[in-house]
């Protein structure tokens, strides 16, 4: 399996707080059947790309050396989770922040404040730089939770979606679980990721989360999960195109 969204690099964001924690998170991922992780620290200052890239490179190299020394079969790739604030409307160069040097850019919004119009504007800027927008955890924003059809509107603009596995288990909240499961079952999701920040809660144990989904008999079309953790992310890593899914209108409004 390949995890395209994880905060496993030490002391760069609110993820791994030390080298020891970073190592434990990576070891847990490898034990869980993960072969590759794209490290995606939060990127908050789009005008500090050189400094950010330098910090990420040093940490990715360190972690890969550590994996080799400890005989752990896990490859760590460079990435970012770009926080789309108003700054992005000035179109800073987004290429330094893509996932593993691909054309795919993982981005997120403020959970409460983002609107459909802002999201569409951001997607347009990403696409205008010949990059492909991948929205991180679409199941966690107020504007998507309040109107599921906004997911369709974003897909119409060419946005792909990465849901958190922890949303499918219910770990991240009930409303989030309902939307994530609805999206998965409709075929709207292109990638799943751990979005791991820690060793205990919100961790890298994807296999454990998958068994809890299976055993929990949640309303999840289990067969749809695997390609989102294998085929699609493998294509991304190889620099191949991941087809945009076509799916029916998601009708629900939660509030
Ligand atoms: Fe994240």
């Amino acid at each position: 399996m390949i995890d395209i969204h994880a905060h496993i690099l030490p002391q760069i964001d609110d993820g791994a707080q030390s080298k020891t924690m970073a190592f434990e998170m990576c070891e847990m991922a490898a034990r869980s059947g993960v072969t590759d992780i794209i490290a995606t620290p939060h990127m908050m200052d789009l005008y500090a790309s050189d400094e950010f890239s330098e910090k990420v490179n040093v940490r990715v190299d360190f972690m890969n050396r550590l994996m080799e020394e400890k005989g752990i079969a896990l490859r760590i790739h460079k990435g970012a989770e770009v926080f789309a604030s108003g700054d992005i409307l000035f179109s800073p160069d987004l290429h330094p922040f893509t996932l593993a040097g691909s054309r795919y850019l993982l981005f997120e919004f403020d959970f409460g404040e983002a609107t459909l119009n802002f999201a569409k504007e951001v997607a347009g800027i990403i696409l205008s730089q010949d990059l492909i927008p991948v929205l991180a955890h679409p199941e966690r924003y107020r504007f998507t939770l309040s109107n599921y059809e906004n997911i369709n509107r974003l897909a119409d603009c060419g946005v792909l979606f990465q849901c958190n596995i922890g949303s499918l288990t219910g770990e991240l909240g009930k409303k989030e679980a309902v939307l994530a499961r609805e999206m998965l079952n409709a075929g709207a999701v292109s990638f799943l990721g751990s979005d791991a920040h820690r060793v205990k809660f919100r961790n890298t144990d994807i296999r454990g989360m998958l068994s809890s989904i299976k055993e929990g008999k949640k309303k999840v079309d289990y067969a749809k999960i695997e390609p989102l953790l294998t085929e699609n992310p493998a294509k991304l890593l190889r620099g191949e195109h991941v087809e945009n899914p076509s799916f029916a209108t998601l009708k629900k409004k939660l509030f």
Side-chain angles (χ1 to χ4, degrees), residues 2-5 161-165 168 184 189-194 206 210 224-226 228-229 233:
I2 299 166
D3 189 357
I4 72 153
H5 183 170
F161 302 108
Q162 173 267 307
C163 286
N164 286 358
I165 311 175
L168 294 175
L184 179 87
V189 183
S190 294
F191 306 100
L192 287 171
S194 69
I206 292 183
L210 293 182
K224 288 213 165 75
I225 291 180
E226 204 202 321
L228 311 181
L229 287 163

Side-chain angles (χ1 to χ4, degrees), residues 3-4 10 13 33 56 64 69-70 88 98 103-105 110 118 150 152 154 160 165-166 169 180 193 230 238 245:
D3 189 357
I4 72 153
D13 64 1
V56 174
N64 276 324
E69 272 168 37
K70 303 279 183 185
I88 205 170
T98 61
R103 288 175 59 218
Y104 293 83
L105 187 94
D110 180 279
F118 180 63
N150 285 337
N152 294 83
L154 288 180
L160 299 183
I165 311 175
T169 62
T230 54
R238 289 196 300 262

Side-chain angles (χ1 to χ4, degrees), residues 5-7 40 42 81 106 108 136-137 162 164 195-197 202:
H5 183 170
H7 301 262
T40 52
H42 295 287
E81 180 178 15
L106 185 72
E108 65 171 339
H137 36 64
Q162 173 267 307
N164 286 358
D195 196 8
H197 282 66
R202 296 187 76 185

Side-chain angles (χ1 to χ4, degrees), residues 75-198:
R75 183 102 203 125
I76 294 144
H77 307 261
K78 185 188 166 185
E81 180 178 15
V82 172
F83 182 77
S85 64
D87 275 359
I88 205 170
L89 302 179
F90 294 93
S91 303
D93 182 13
L94 299 169
H95 288 82
F97 310 121
T98 61
L99 296 173
S102 70
R103 288 175 59 218
Y104 293 83
L105 187 94
L106 185 72
F107 69 112
E108 65 171 339
F109 300 113
D110 180 279
F111 290 133
E113 282 174 19
T115 61
L116 176 64
N117 280 343
F118 180 63
K120 281 163 75 173
E121 216 168 338
V122 170
I125 285 163
I126 297 170
L127 288 159
S128 73
Q129 296 192 15
D130 204 22
L131 299 174
I132 299 161
V134 180
L135 181 59
H137 36 64
E139 71 279 12
R140 303 190 69 191
Y141 304 101
R142 191 177 170 85
F143 82 101
T144 47
L145 284 163
S146 63
N147 186 355
Y148 284 15
E149 219 177 309
N150 285 337
I151 295 288
N152 294 83
R153 300 290 78 84
L154 288 180
D156 293 344
C157 301
V159 174
L160 299 183
F161 302 108
Q162 173 267 307
C163 286
N164 286 358
I165 311 175
S167 294
L168 294 175
T169 62
E171 190 180 351
L172 296 174
K174 277 188 189 154
K175 295 196 298 287
E176 290 77 1
V178 175
L179 177 52
R181 289 169 192 160
E182 185 105 354
M183 285 184 70
L184 179 87
N185 296 345
V189 183
S190 294
F191 306 100
L192 287 171
S194 69
D195 196 8
H197 282 66
R198 292 284 180 274

Side-chain angles (χ1 to χ4, degrees), residues 212-227:
S212 104
I213 294 169
K214 212 170 185 177
E215 285 158 18
K217 296 195 176 62
K218 308 287 184 204
K219 292 173 190 150
V220 171
D221 185 351
Y222 195 79
K224 288 213 165 75
I225 291 180
E226 204 202 321

Side-chain angles (χ1 to χ4, degrees), residues 2-39:
I2 299 166
D3 189 357
I4 72 153
H5 183 170
H7 301 262
I8 45 111
L9 297 183
Q11 294 169 318
I12 189 167
D13 64 1
D14 58 345
Q17 295 302 293
S18 64
K19 288 176 182 166
T20 309
M21 192 189 286
F23 173 73
E24 286 170 0
M25 289 173 79
C26 289
E27 194 188 34
M28 178 185 272
R31 262 191 280 120
S32 192
V34 174
T35 56
D36 295 80
I37 291 184
I38 305 182

